[in-house]
Amino acid sequence: MTMISAPARPTETVPTTTPYDLGLLILRVAVGLTMAAHGTQKLFGWFNGGGLTGTAAFFTSTGYPAAHTMATIAGLTETLGGLALTLGLLTPLAAAALVGTLLNALAIKWGNGFFAPKASNTNSY
């Protein structure tokens, strides 16, 4: 008498963390925390920032209409987008918000270099 056995099922593998995943995590956390800190400079004046008043004055000097409103939006976008990116919440939306903010900053800073000049009294974007 012969027995018929069921076909062998492939064993399930447990996903492992690869160096690629770890690198993306480090990048996401570093960029997220940097942007959140930059946003708190705009909103609260933390980390030697200008706060809303200083940021609005900078926005006015660059020609923005409704500078206080735009300073608030920029600060909230950087702070909340950075925190969301750090925590991995709505990552594509958080990254898109930060990219939009950084493209705007690039348009303002283009030709002025990456860092503010020494002894500059202006609030850099």
Side-chain angles (χ1 to χ4, degrees):
M1 178 173 193
T2 60
M3 295 185 116
I4 299 175
S5 61
R9 293 176 30 189
T11 59
E12 293 183 26
T13 59
V14 177
T16 60
T17 302
T18 63
Y20 177 79
D21 294 330
L22 185 60
L24 287 177
L25 173 67
I26 291 169
L27 181 64
R28 193 183 80 221
V29 169
V31 170
L33 289 177
T34 300
M35 292 305 298
H38 202 255
T40 58
Q41 285 183 312
K42 286 179 177 57
L43 290 175
F44 311 117
W46 294 357
F47 307 111
N48 223 9
L52 278 177
T53 305
T55 305
F58 172 73
F59 279 16
T60 299
S61 74
T62 59
Y64 276 92
H68 193 273
T69 302
M70 296 307 286
T72 304
I73 291 170
L76 285 173
T77 301
E78 289 179 6
T79 303
L80 298 178
L83 291 175
L85 190 66
T86 300
L87 298 174
L89 301 173
L90 302 171
T91 304
L93 181 62
L98 294 177
V99 165
T101 301
L102 290 173
L103 285 174
N104 191 35
L106 182 65
I108 295 294
K109 295 286 289 181
W110 194 261
N112 293 332
F114 186 71
F115 295 103
K118 188 174 180 170
S120 173
N121 292 328
T122 61
N123 181 10
S124 67
Y125 189 82

